[in-house]
Amino acid sequence: MPRCLALPLSLAGLCLVLLLSGCGDASDLGVAAGRYRLQIQGAVTDTLAGPAVLRSARDARVGLELGTRDGPGLSMAFTPRGTGGAPDAATGRYDVVRAALLNAPRTDSLPGLVAFLSLPDARFEATEGHVSITRAGRGAVGGTFTLEMTEQAPALPTSRTIRVTGSLRARRP
């Protein structure tokens, strides 16, 4: 093979390998650091996006605030498995549990998740689903979630349900 063709062919081969193997992180969440995006379907349909903040809470609980304090958004709290509440070691799947189980005494508490969605005219609580924390580092977490939620409106004869899916990359303020 002529020498003038060897370099372009080897560059083309390298580009093909990078294209086939994928450049960057295979678990790319599609949201920027410190942001979230979610889809709501069911009795209410909407798409929300905005800031995502990681907060450590009392009793080794990790809190995630998706949205602004005064606007619509999703609040999640979970208890990491055996990490002493350290969000940088919290990778894994956390299933929705009743708030009473998450608030149990430290020796009885289960790893789990509670979540609440606030909209301008409604508030929903997670009844089923999970969050998967796929990345964890110093002061930051990333993950995806799928939640079945029921409206918290005792005055209504029937409660509305929704399904919320999305991704997040939260970091400490």
Side-chain angles (χ1 to χ4, degrees), residues 45-146:
T45 302
D46 204 349
T47 299
L48 301 177
V53 178
L54 171 67
R55 302 197 188 280
S56 292
R58 61 178 173 75
D59 300 330
R61 189 177 302 165
V62 175
L64 296 169
E65 298 298 329
L66 310 182
T68 59
R69 189 175 298 265
D70 300 341
L74 183 66
S75 295
M76 291 189 259
F78 65 95
T79 304
R81 295 170 182 84
T83 63
D88 57 347
T91 58
R93 178 182 163 131
Y94 298 91
D95 292 320
V96 170
V97 297
R98 290 190 348 248
L101 291 176
L102 201 63
N103 292 330
R106 181 96 176 112
T107 56
D108 298 334
S109 64
L110 298 173
L113 163 77
V114 294
F116 300 93
L117 175 68
S118 297
L119 298 173
D121 58 352
R123 183 171 159 94
F124 293 83
E125 181 177 359
T127 55
E128 291 182 39
H130 69 276
V131 63
S132 293
I133 303 298
T134 56
R135 300 177 199 204
R138 291 181 81 76
V141 296
T144 59
F145 52 91
T146 301

